[in-house]
Amino acid sequence: MEKNTKPEDGNLIHLNGPGLLPSRIINDFKKNLFSKTALEEGWKRCLERFEKLINTYPAYLWELNGEPSSFFIYKEWNRKVEILWCHQLNKYFPKEIFIRPALENLLEAMEEDLHAERITSQFPSWSKIIGVDLLSMGLPWLGFRRFDVELMTVRISNKNSPDKPEIPEGIDVRRWADSRKLEAAELMCRVGDNYMDYINMTPEECLVSIDEIYSAALSKMAFNEADELVGFITSNEKGWIGQIFVREDYQRKGLGAYFISDLIHRLVEKKINRISLAVLSDNPSAKGLYQKFGFSSVGSNPMWAWLAST
């Protein structure tokens, strides 16, 4: 720590556009990444996302002694803000002492500059690659609520594939139809989970979430006899399940189990040997369903949410 450096004596600067972060702090992050990431695949994926973000979104920069000490990349829409990435110079240690004043000023600025009514972040999911979870050092003291997300995975093959699934009675399962994707987003929003309910996630946001994951060739929809969408599953070509949602009055009828079993068979045919997904730790019914198919937890990460109304 530099002499006479007080954590609270900083200055927050709004970089209201992409590509404006100083090269010094960018290079410090890269150096930190390369020194802490054991697997080359991990740091390459992390670096690719980082470089995409700094060239796409604006940021806030926290200065100490006239030099950049930390930054926060964010995106904003309709008074909703998501912190996408952050970093603090390695020389400022202990890190939590220096990150908290920066986060306090960041929260105040996002309220005043961006009129934020909601601030969220899933950035801590990268902490295992980067080596430090800066946000979790400061957000609990600022009124953010924590939601723990478990990563679950299972190896699949012809030898351990479940029996061929039977479609529940009165249900018509079809290939994914983009023409009915908005209905899927509305169903996702209506069924939700504790995190989605807390932040009051909109159908438009659910639509974005679906678009980030799904492969139309691997995703499916289920309809009742009135041609109403009652459930869907999305997956990408790498075996990552994005969403499984079933309408409340059609739950516990075997539709979720059908979706998973059917997807396993189709992914095995494509020579995919692993399926993964993320689920809230406080969702025992969903976790129980996945465990029946051999899924096990391989780690967890926090998501953070702050609401102006609370």
Side-chain angles (χ1 to χ4, degrees):
M1 183 172 69
E2 291 185 356
K3 292 182 179 180
N4 303 320
T5 298
K6 295 181 179 180
E8 64 274 15
D9 291 342
N11 182 40
L12 190 69
I13 301 172
H14 191 191
L15 305 177
N16 194 18
L20 299 178
L21 283 171
S23 58
R24 177 178 178 180
I25 199 165
I26 292 175
N27 293 334
D28 186 85
F29 168 75
K30 292 179 179 179
K31 181 180 179 181
N32 179 71
L33 176 65
F34 298 152
S35 67
K36 292 188 176 180
T37 305
L39 298 177
E40 182 178 354
E41 179 184 355
W43 67 253
K44 282 188 174 180
R45 182 164 54 90
C46 187
L47 183 60
E48 180 181 335
R49 176 161 176 79
F50 170 67
E51 292 183 334
K52 179 180 179 180
L53 292 178
I54 64 175
N55 291 306
T56 306
Y57 296 103
Y60 280 92
L61 183 70
W62 179 249
E63 287 188 341
L64 285 174
N65 291 334
E67 70 169 9
S69 67
S70 55
F71 67 79
F72 307 89
I73 303 171
Y74 73 92
K75 67 176 180 180
E76 179 268 336
W77 71 104
N78 296 332
R79 299 193 175 189
K80 300 168 185 176
V81 178
E82 181 179 358
I83 302 173
L84 301 170
W85 208 272
C86 72
H87 176 65
Q88 180 174 270
L89 284 178
N90 285 319
K91 71 178 185 178
Y92 291 107
F93 186 86
K95 289 186 176 295
E96 61 270 24
I97 294 177
F98 287 90
I99 198 66
R100 288 182 191 174
L103 286 169
E104 288 173 4
N105 281 268
L106 179 69
L107 177 59
E108 184 177 337
M110 286 181 167
E111 282 190 89
E112 293 182 359
D113 299 345
L114 309 177
H115 308 290
E117 297 177 353
R118 186 187 87 188
I119 302 174
T120 59
S121 184
Q122 299 182 38
F123 172 69
S125 64
W126 293 91
S127 61
K128 289 182 174 61
I129 297 177
I130 297 170
V132 61
D133 183 0
L134 285 173
L135 293 182
S136 295
M137 293 178 180
L139 296 185
W141 286 267
L142 297 174
F144 278 72
R145 180 172 171 181
R146 175 175 176 146
F147 296 84
D148 287 305
V149 180
E150 288 189 38
L151 175 64
M152 302 186 74
T153 188
V154 62
R155 283 194 166 275
I156 58 174
S157 67
N158 283 317
K159 294 181 180 180
N160 66 357
S161 291
D163 294 336
K164 284 286 186 179
E166 293 186 5
I167 300 176
E169 186 177 354
I171 299 297
D172 179 20
V173 178
R174 309 173 194 166
R175 295 181 63 181
W176 185 268
D178 276 346
S179 61
R180 307 197 69 168
K181 188 165 55 174
L182 181 57
E183 293 175 61
E186 291 170 344
L187 174 61
M188 175 179 171
C189 183
R190 188 164 62 249
V191 175
D193 57 30
N194 286 341
Y195 174 76
M196 293 171 60
D197 292 343
Y198 181 74
I199 67 172
N200 196 23
M201 199 166 178
T202 65
E204 291 75 18
E205 290 175 287
C206 291
L207 194 59
V208 171
S209 180
I210 291 172
D211 282 338
E212 288 176 345
I213 298 294
Y214 89 108
S215 161
L218 289 170
S219 304
K220 285 195 172 182
M221 295 174 162
F223 299 86
N224 62 14
E225 294 175 346
D227 198 39
E228 298 170 329
L229 180 70
V230 297
F232 70 93
I233 183 172
T234 64
S235 173
N236 64 17
E237 299 288 348
K238 296 181 179 180
W240 178 264
I241 297 176
Q243 293 91 14
I244 303 178
F245 285 95
V246 176
R247 206 171 81 180
E248 293 92 333
D249 52 336
Y250 282 84
Q251 293 176 5
R252 296 177 178 82
K253 297 180 183 293
L255 184 53
Y258 170 83
F259 278 143
I260 297 173
S261 180
D262 174 68
L263 180 63
I264 290 174
H265 281 275
R266 290 184 290 125
L267 288 174
V268 166
E269 291 176 356
K270 292 181 173 291
K271 311 300 182 184
I272 302 297
N273 60 16
R274 182 181 295 275
I275 302 180
S276 301
L277 54 81
V279 59
L280 285 182
S281 298
D282 63 359
N283 190 344
S285 59
K287 288 167 58 179
L289 172 62
Y290 305 143
Q291 288 165 349
K292 289 180 181 179
F293 288 92
F295 283 83
S296 60
S297 177
V298 294
S300 65
N301 297 298
M303 296 190 301
W304 294 98
W306 173 92
L307 302 179
S309 59
T310 59

